Amino acid sequence: TPADGGSHLGNSIRRTSQGLVLTDFLAGTIELSQDEGRTFRNVYKVYDNILGMDFVDSVHGVAAAQFRNRSNKWVFTSDGGLTWHPSNYGTESWTVRGRKGTSIFIATPEGYSDINDYLTEVMRSDDYGMTWRKITTLPFRSASDVQFSGEALYVQTGPSPCPGCTYPDGYGIYRSLDSGKTWRGIGGPDYWADTRFGLVHDCKGTIIICADKDNNIYITSELYPPSDG
């Protein structure tokens, strides 16, 4: 049951020490349920939309609390989502990922969707989302998602045409083995902005599931640890 009964579109939901925490895109709220999802209450609101969210453990999380309002910042919590505080960074990003059991968050924002010539910056926080720094700028615009598989990072190229974008290894999935500093393409399709792809990791390898713009599904796998050699 939404907190205010209005229009709602959930983006991310996570279980934390406080209960179930949900980011609501249309309402511009972060909502908390302490009764297994039967009811929710607002714990944070912006006059904008709220996008991706993730947690590295049961108490530390980050939410991308910016869509069109350029003055908003991403927010972080250290109490399981009960209270939220602004960081030093913000842009449109439908996904934020945390490396479980650490203080590290990574994001590869697709940038504002009302701008068609944007190169994705790989952003990293080492202090549970309080401060962010740029690792590198990709030569293309990502679809927004970034995924961890052990020490490897994966992104998918976003929509074309993009006037300033280049694709050194073609479209598709790109992988980094050095914490996001350098990237190499491993094939696959590009996809729409504001989307995600699937990744399953175990001790033997990584399975990647993604789609193209015609909604055809692609599946590939890599042994772990992967190698660029």
Side-chain angles (χ1 to χ4, degrees), residues 17-217:
S17 61
Q18 296 289 343
L20 296 175
V21 181
L22 171 87
T23 55
D24 190 316
F25 172 71
L26 292 181
T29 58
I30 301 174
E31 302 192 359
L32 172 65
S33 173
Q34 295 179 304
D35 56 8
E36 294 298 317
R38 288 185 288 273
T39 61
F40 284 83
R41 62 185 175 91
N42 296 344
V43 293
Y44 188 81
K45 180 173 179 58
V46 295
Y47 292 98
D48 199 0
N49 304 102
I50 294 185
L51 304 172
M53 176 187 66
D54 202 12
F55 281 73
V56 294
D57 53 33
S58 64
V59 295
H60 295 99
V62 168
Q66 186 181 124
F67 183 56
R68 289 288 183 265
N69 188 337
R70 267 63 163 176
S71 65
N72 288 341
K73 303 298 184 183
W74 293 1
V75 293
F76 64 92
T77 179
S78 57
D79 58 11
L82 187 62
T83 61
W84 295 83
H85 313 279
S87 72
N88 68 332
Y89 177 76
T91 192
E92 180 182 335
S93 186
W94 283 76
T95 304
V96 178
R97 297 288 182 191
R99 188 185 294 277
K100 305 307 180 187
T102 74
S103 61
I104 298 170
F105 285 88
I106 296 284
T108 54
E110 77 279 18
Y112 302 113
S113 54
D114 56 355
I115 299 173
N116 67 359
D117 193 12
Y118 176 85
L119 301 180
T120 288
E121 296 178 340
V122 180
M123 301 299 298
R124 174 175 173 137
S125 172
D126 293 294
D127 55 7
Y128 297 108
M130 290 186 287
T131 60
W132 292 82
R133 60 187 174 92
K134 184 175 73 172
I135 300 299
T136 192
T137 301
L138 299 176
F140 51 80
R141 187 175 195 167
S142 79
S144 179
D145 200 7
V146 60
Q147 296 269 5
F148 288 103
S149 180
E151 296 300 314
L153 294 170
Y154 295 83
V155 301
Q156 185 176 16
T157 58
S160 58
C162 169
C165 294
T166 59
Y167 305 89
D169 299 320
Y171 298 128
I173 302 294
Y174 277 67
R175 181 189 63 218
S176 174
L177 301 178
D178 55 7
S179 300
K181 298 181 183 70
T182 61
W183 296 80
R184 175 171 292 185
I186 62 172
D190 63 339
Y191 200 35
W192 303 112
D194 308 343
T195 58
R196 295 167 178 156
F197 60 95
L199 185 148
V200 179
H201 168 75
D202 62 22
C203 60
K204 295 182 180 180
T206 301
I207 299 173
I208 302 166
I209 305 167
C210 59
D212 64 19
K213 294 176 183 177
D214 295 320
N215 295 321
N216 298 305
I217 303 300

